[in-house]
């Protein structure tokens, strides 16, 4: 259910910027007439233009210091993923709208699972981890992979496309 529900839009900014100004920048961005008339969002099953200025905005810095896919090697080192690349299965558990049938999703979603601590809170905030998280969980109608490599390949490609 991710197909047709993901969109990347790019806007240019040509003024000086300091990170301590992030909230003002985000607020000004969301009030800019060009952004308001072009920024799209999904509403139900249809894309629509935002069309109205934001009344309040909060910006959250996302660290982007992890640059290598070796970041995910610990999944294999800790048996979340087998040496063959197959994701280790587990008994079904439920977390919100997710049915968890493997150790990967359990590690991603359940904070008291045996493997949740493989990634610290600060590592989970990393841009690369966030992309991986969303790719692995998918949408409501996602059909999960049995092997890790497709998730890693798509994560790497999305990361490169967004950074570029």
């Amino acid at each position: 259910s991710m197909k047709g529900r993901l969109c990347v839009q790019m806007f240019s900014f040509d003024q000086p910027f300091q990170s301590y100004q992030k909230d003002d920048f985000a607020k000004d961005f969301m009030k800019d007439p060009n952004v308001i008339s072009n920024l799209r969002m999904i509403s139900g099953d249809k894309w629509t233009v935002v069309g109205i200025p934001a009344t309040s905005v909060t910006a959250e810095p996302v660290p982007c210091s992890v640059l290598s896919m070796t970041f995910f090697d610990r999944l294999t080192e800790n048996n979340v993923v087998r040496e063959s690349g197959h994701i280790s299965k587990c008994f079904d558990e439920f977390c919100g709208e997710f049915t968890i049938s493997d150790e990967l999703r359990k590690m991603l979603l359940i904070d008291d699972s045996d493997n949740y601590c493989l990634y610290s809170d600060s590592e989970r905030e990393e841009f690369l981890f966030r992309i991986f998280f969303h790719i692995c969980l998918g949408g409501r109608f996602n059909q999960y992979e049995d092997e890790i490599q497709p998730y890693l390949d798509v994560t790497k490609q999305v990361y490169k496309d967004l950074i570029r």
Side-chain angles (χ1 to χ4, degrees):
S1 65
M2 291 173 68
K3 187 175 183 179
R5 298 179 69 84
L6 293 176
C7 177
V8 175
Q9 290 181 264
M10 186 173 69
F11 296 87
S12 297
F13 177 71
D14 62 357
Q15 302 295 316
F17 175 76
Q18 298 296 323
S19 59
Y20 64 84
Q21 298 171 312
K22 66 181 174 30
D23 290 328
D24 292 335
F25 170 79
K27 188 175 180 182
D28 291 344
F29 176 80
M30 295 303 294
K31 288 184 174 188
D32 185 275
N34 290 320
V35 172
I36 294 168
S37 62
N38 291 295
L39 185 63
R40 297 183 305 151
M41 65 178 189
I42 194 117
S43 178
D45 289 333
K46 294 184 180 184
W47 285 100
T48 183
V49 174
V50 171
I52 57 171
T55 55
S56 68
V57 178
T58 304
E60 175 186 333
V62 176
C64 197
S65 58
V66 174
L67 305 174
S68 171
M69 296 300 288
T70 59
F71 182 63
F72 299 108
D73 287 354
R74 62 186 93 164
L75 296 173
T76 303
E77 294 163 1
N78 292 279
N79 296 319
V80 172
V81 176
R82 296 191 178 114
E83 289 292 328
S84 65
H86 286 86
I87 301 167
S88 298
K89 300 296 181 189
C90 66
F91 290 112
D92 285 354
E93 292 185 44
F94 301 94
C95 182
E97 65 183 67
F98 294 100
T99 301
I100 301 169
S101 300
D102 60 53
E103 293 295 331
L104 177 62
R105 267 160 279 291
K106 189 188 282 189
M107 182 274 304
L108 292 172
L109 290 169
I110 300 178
D111 58 3
D112 64 351
S113 72
D114 293 339
N115 293 308
Y116 187 87
C117 62
L118 293 180
Y119 295 92
S120 67
D121 289 342
S122 63
E123 288 174 320
R124 287 171 176 271
E125 292 175 6
E126 286 285 339
F127 188 50
L128 187 63
F129 189 90
R130 289 178 183 216
I131 294 171
F132 179 73
F133 181 91
H134 288 291
I135 297 298
C136 290
L137 295 179
R140 325 177 246 211
F141 306 115
N142 187 36
Q143 293 180 346
Y144 298 121
E145 296 290 337
D146 292 326
E147 296 184 20
I148 193 69
Q149 200 57 50
Y151 294 128
L152 296 175
D153 292 344
V154 172
T155 297
K156 182 177 182 178
Q157 190 59 54
V158 169
Y159 178 84
K160 288 171 83 173
D161 287 349
L162 290 174
I163 295 298
R164 189 171 33 129

